[in-house]
């Protein structure tokens, strides 16, 4: 019988692990904090859904506190300057869309792209996380599907009138995800999170989201391919 290659055991207390974790942990904290701010702004833009969006925002704030606890558990100080720079382009595009009253782009960035990015990363992280972080992350990822579902349902309900705007937002923002994955590739690898797996899981999650919104298979593939080509 062929022998299975054993997965190397992670040393969560090694300086190499902690150094990489300081940036990965900062990214998830900053991502959740920005998601809180984004949902608060969406609640202002969509007053008819204010209560629901405010509830989603509060979830994101709890997530950030949970991931801060994960860093403290490993005695790691998160590199928040790195994380703010990591999200700066997506953050800038979201802020621009808010100023323009562009609800569709705001939802594509936060409720589709960022949520799919988080879901795929958390699902890959859970099997290699320390026990404390695993429990926190398992709870967080369940909530993220709720956030994704809100964006899918809103865009689906308005699909005919917003389809072209979704496509434009995809062209403008999807390439940034591939840039972000390239930027964090080495640190993720230290945590045994392979870039190829992250890309595969994100592509599947985001493709399913686009299909749920109303795009057919050919349209979805074209939109995903555009993002990859633009980032090359």
């Amino acid at each position: 019988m062929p022998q299975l290659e054993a997965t190397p055991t992670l040393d969560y207390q090694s300086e190499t692990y902690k150094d990489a974790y300081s940036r990965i942990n900062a990214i998830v904290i900053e991502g959740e904090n920005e998601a809180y701010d984004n949902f608060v702004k969406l609640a202002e833009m969509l007053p008819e859904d204010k209560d629901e969006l405010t509830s989603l925002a509060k979830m994101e704030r709890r997530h950030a506190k949970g991931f801060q606890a994960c860093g403290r558990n490993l005695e790691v100080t998160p590199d928040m300057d790195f994380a703010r720079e990591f999200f700066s382009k997506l953050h800038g595009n979201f802020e621009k869309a808010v100023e323009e009253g562009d609800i569709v782009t705001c939802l594509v960035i936060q409720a589709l792209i960022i949520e799919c990015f988080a879901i795929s990363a958390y699902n890959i992280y859970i099997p290699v996380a320390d026990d404390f972080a695993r429990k926190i992350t398992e709870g967080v990822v369940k909530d993220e599907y709720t956030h994704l579902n809100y964006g899918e349902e809103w865009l689906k309900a308005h699909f005919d009138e917003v389809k072209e705007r979704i496509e434009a937002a995809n062209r403008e923002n999807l390439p940034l995800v591939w840039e972000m994955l390239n930027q964090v590739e080495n640190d993720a690898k230290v945590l045994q999170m392979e870039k190829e797996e992250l890309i595969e899981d994100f592509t599947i999650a985001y493709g399913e989201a686009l299909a749920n919104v109303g795009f057919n298979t050919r349209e979805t593939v074209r939109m995903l391919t555009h993002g990859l080509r633009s980032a090359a």
Side-chain angles (χ1 to χ4, degrees), residues 10-159:
L10 282 166
D11 180 359
Y12 301 113
Q13 294 301 320
S14 74
E15 289 307 310
T16 300
Y17 187 92
K18 287 186 174 184
D19 177 60
Y21 192 82
S22 71
R23 290 179 289 277
I24 298 296
N25 183 233
I27 287 169
V28 296
I29 292 169
E30 178 64 17
E32 299 293 349
N33 280 332
E34 290 200 12
Y36 169 82
D37 292 338
N38 291 349
F39 277 116
V40 168
K41 286 170 183 169
L42 280 163
E44 295 170 358
M45 299 170 79
L46 293 163
E48 66 275 16
D49 290 347
K50 183 177 181 179
D51 290 347
E52 182 177 2
L53 287 163
T54 299
S55 175
L56 295 178
K58 288 178 180 177
M59 283 185 196
E60 304 288 26
R61 179 56 57 86
R62 290 196 300 272
H63 297 168
K65 290 179 180 178
F67 287 128
Q68 287 169 341
C70 292
R72 288 194 299 271
N73 181 61
L74 293 180
E75 299 180 333
V76 169
T77 300
D79 187 344
M80 298 309 297
D81 288 339
F82 174 85
R84 282 186 282 271
E85 179 62 27
F86 182 79
F87 281 106
S88 61
K89 291 182 180 179
L90 271 182
H91 176 74
N93 285 358
F94 186 93
E95 290 298 311
K96 180 172 178 278
V98 170
E99 290 173 8
E100 295 172 351
D102 185 352
I103 294 169
V104 174
T105 295
C106 288
L107 285 172
V108 170
I109 292 173
Q110 176 57 52
L112 297 191
I113 290 176
I114 292 178
E115 296 297 344
C116 287
F117 186 91
I119 287 168
S120 58
Y122 295 161
N123 279 331
I124 288 175
Y125 173 62
I126 285 168
V128 295
D130 63 272
D131 290 342
F132 183 89
R134 181 181 299 115
K135 292 173 184 175
I136 296 290
T137 310
E138 285 173 343
V140 168
V141 78
K142 292 175 185 176
D143 287 345
E144 302 298 8
Y145 284 104
T146 305
H147 306 159
L148 172 61
N149 182 256
Y150 174 86
E152 289 176 346
E153 291 302 314
W154 193 96
L155 294 169
K156 180 180 179 180
H158 301 83
F159 185 67

Side-chain angles (χ1 to χ4, degrees), residues 115 185 201:
E115 296 297 344
E185 177 180 4
D201 270 44

Side-chain angles (χ1 to χ4, degrees), residues 157-176:
H158 301 83
F159 185 67
D160 290 340
E161 62 203 79
V162 303
K163 181 179 179 181
E164 290 184 2
R165 186 62 241 158
I166 298 172
E167 292 174 329
N170 177 81
R171 286 194 300 273
E172 293 160 6
N173 294 284
L174 186 59
L176 300 180

Side-chain angles (χ1 to χ4, degrees), residues 175-192:
L176 300 180
V177 173
W178 311 123
E179 291 179 18
M180 292 161 76
L181 284 168
N182 286 336
Q183 192 177 351
V184 80
E185 177 180 4
N186 292 335
D187 287 331
K189 191 166 188 175
V190 171
L191 274 61
Q192 292 187 1

